[in-house]
Amino acid sequence: MTRPRTMRFDVLASTGSANHSTGSANQGLRRAQPTRRFGALLAAAALAATLAGCAAGGGTATPSASPPASSGASVLPPVIVDLGAVDGTEVEVPVGGTVDLVGDDEHFLAWTAELSDPEVAEFVPGKDDGSAQFNPGLTALAEGDTEVTLTNDESGEKLEFTLVVVPAS
């Protein structure tokens, strides 16, 4: 295996006789040009990889429930809720938003939920797909309130709180 060639970047800052024994300032600039080309190639490769990743989804278009990007809509950040502190509280989330239930790294797959009004929100169980672990959570479907009862059969925990879904702003 060959070692990559090392380039000196301090030559660009020098002018005149302080060229760090590399010759004239023009030699330093010529030496830096491959770095610029490499940077441009790296940027082009990153763009090509991004576009290839977008195209890899398949050749057929599928309908999307999300509005087009030009409408100014954006993805809402999740509301982070600690399972150790949620019992007996009220959690507010906008329509279309999500609640990420955190704080149980050991039994996160065993949480289940009962919602008093399943038209207001839905429970999303935790999962482990082999490459990443996902916390359980809730997705806000419509304005309103719903009582949420979380149960974990592995740890024996039972938590209750009110989820209030407000209009998206």
Side-chain angles (χ1 to χ4, degrees):
M1 179 183 292
T2 61
R3 266 180 86 189
R5 198 170 110 194
T6 304
M7 297 187 148
R8 292 182 55 153
F9 296 99
D10 59 346
V11 175
L12 290 175
S14 63
T15 59
S17 62
N19 282 332
H20 301 285
S21 70
T22 59
S24 72
N26 290 337
Q27 285 178 334
L29 291 175
R30 275 186 293 222
R31 189 172 287 148
Q33 286 176 352
T35 303
R36 287 186 200 148
R37 280 188 236 134
F38 178 72
L41 286 173
L42 187 61
L47 178 61
T50 302
L51 294 175
C54 292
T60 59
T62 57
S64 173
S66 61
S70 62
S71 72
S74 62
V75 176
L76 299 172
V79 175
I80 308 297
V81 174
D82 186 356
L83 288 164
V86 72
D87 197 29
T89 66
E90 187 174 274
V91 176
E92 188 175 285
V93 63
V95 173
T98 58
V99 175
D100 187 11
L101 300 168
V102 301
D104 184 356
D105 295 336
E106 191 174 340
H107 305 288
F108 68 96
L109 296 174
W111 286 100
T112 59
E114 283 186 42
L115 287 81
S116 64
D117 190 347
E119 292 183 15
V120 171
E122 71 178 341
F123 177 71
V124 179
K127 69 178 183 175
D128 185 343
D129 70 2
S131 65
Q133 296 176 338
F134 300 88
N135 294 320
L138 298 160
T139 302
L141 303 174
E143 289 181 47
D145 329 350
T146 185
E147 298 302 316
V148 179
T149 303
L150 296 173
T151 307
N152 190 311
D153 290 334
E154 287 181 12
S155 68
E157 289 184 78
K158 183 176 182 178
L159 309 170
E160 295 178 353
F161 64 96
T162 302
L163 182 69
V164 179
V165 180
V166 297
S169 48

